[in-house]
Amino acid sequence: MIRRLFLLMGVLALALTSGWADIAASGGGSKSVTPDDLEIQIKGQFKGRLMVKRIVAPVTMNLEKLQDFPEDPSQKILLDPLPISQSGDFNARSEIKGHLPFVPWIPAIPEPPFLRMTPPKIDPKTPLQSWVFEVFNPQGQTIFRQRGTNGLPDELIWEGKDSEKDFAVVDRLYSAQLTLLDSTEKATVISGNSIVLPAMIYGSAESETVEFSLTRLFVKDKAEISPEGVLMMAKFCERIRELGGPKIHLRISGLDAVLSSQRETVLAEALEKSLILVPGSIEHDRTQAGPRGEIAVFWVKSGGSR
């Protein structure tokens, strides 16, 4: 058995020797063959598809606030919502095209009542003897007062009556205050809200007066509508469209007669363009600024008559 194994190994060695000799002979004998020449390199390309799925951000829920949505208890409430660019949202909304643009993000022009105040609850053990509701001007002087000796109303309001200027004016600070006097002669003073009116509307449904501050409506010392004025006029045009095309008269009350003349023309043309009116549809004039300050006043009358 061992002899056969040695014999087999000798035959194998002879075969390998003969193989190397044949390879050398095929090369013409001019080049020696090394094991490195027997390496074979295979190059190829892998073709496949890479699938990318949308990454869903984790959502955290506040279960205590689910009671705020009784109509849909399963609604998800984000504790840390993704930030939203307010400027981008505003620009996106302003791109809306249409014959009757609507700008809900612009505050409405203030209308009476200009100030509201909700009285506190009175302790039955110390009944109320009297109360006084007051509105002050910037100097702290009372320009409106309402008294009562019985129970307090559900809400105290100020419609704009001003003992100093007859009616509220734009760009002026007004603040409210409530004074309570109980049965023990103890006085309690409660401060209410304060307000500055950049513009305001008052009157009736048939005839309205709309006042705007020239300081806000125009660029300083120029007959150019300011960015704030553009927003104000957009809100004013909304109201005009709601009234169905009423008659409009514009008057500029300013200190500079030449500047006032230029401003009334610019403002009237801008409104006619925005409301798609025939040029000259809005009557306008100017006057010297009076007790109500430098303002632009619109008289709006429905029914097609003046």
Side-chain angles (χ1 to χ4, degrees), residues 24-256:
S26 63
S30 60
K31 181 180 180 181
S32 61
V33 178
T34 63
D36 294 338
D37 295 328
L38 297 178
E39 291 184 0
I40 299 176
Q41 295 183 0
I42 301 175
K43 295 182 179 181
Q45 295 181 352
F46 172 77
K47 295 183 179 180
R49 293 183 300 173
L50 179 62
M51 181 178 296
V52 179
K53 296 184 178 180
R54 173 182 288 183
I55 301 176
V56 180
V59 176
T60 57
M61 299 179 64
N62 188 346
L63 299 180
E64 295 180 357
K65 291 188 176 181
L66 285 178
Q67 59 184 358
D68 297 336
F69 301 89
E71 69 282 358
D72 185 9
S74 62
Q75 182 174 354
K76 298 179 180 179
I77 303 174
L78 293 177
L79 294 179
D80 299 314
L82 298 177
I84 299 176
S85 172
Q86 295 183 355
S87 60
D89 183 66
F90 180 89
N91 294 332
R93 290 176 180 267
S94 64
E95 292 296 327
I96 298 176
K97 306 296 182 181
H99 178 58
L100 302 178
F102 177 63
V103 281
W105 60 88
I106 304 176
I109 301 174
E111 299 182 61
F114 298 121
L115 281 175
R116 296 176 180 270
M117 189 172 183
T118 302
K121 294 183 178 180
I122 304 301
D123 188 356
K125 297 180 181 179
T126 55
L128 192 65
Q129 180 177 341
S130 63
W131 55 270
V132 179
F133 175 64
E134 297 174 291
V135 177
F136 303 105
N137 63 11
Q139 291 75 35
Q141 300 170 335
T142 302
I143 54 95
F144 175 80
R145 180 181 288 117
Q146 181 182 1
R147 299 178 182 270
T149 55
N150 299 323
L152 283 165
D154 294 335
E155 186 180 42
L156 298 166
I157 60 175
W158 179 53
E159 297 280 356
K161 294 181 180 180
D162 187 338
S163 60
E164 181 183 9
K165 295 182 178 291
D166 294 332
F167 199 76
V169 299
V170 295
D171 265 350
R172 198 177 195 214
L173 176 66
Y174 295 98
S175 55
Q177 177 180 287
L178 176 63
T179 304
L180 305 177
L181 186 66
D182 60 21
S183 56
T184 62
E185 301 294 332
K186 179 182 178 181
T188 303
V189 178
I190 304 173
S191 298
N193 296 328
S194 299
I195 188 173
V196 176
L197 303 170
M200 62 181 175
I201 298 176
Y202 57 94
S204 62
E206 293 76 20
S207 178
E208 291 184 342
T209 300
V210 188
E211 296 184 2
F212 295 90
S213 168
L214 290 183
T215 304
R216 297 172 180 265
L217 202 57
F218 290 95
V219 177
K220 185 179 180 180
D221 299 329
K222 292 184 179 180
E224 177 184 348
I225 301 177
S226 67
E228 183 180 7
V230 173
L231 299 180
M232 288 181 173
M233 288 298 99
K235 211 63 181 179
F236 177 64
C237 289
E238 278 186 14
R239 191 174 188 90
I240 296 300
R241 295 187 187 101
E242 291 174 358
L243 296 176
K247 295 289 186 179
I248 305 173
H249 184 90
L250 164 65
R251 174 173 293 171
I252 299 291
S253 298
L255 298 175
D256 189 332

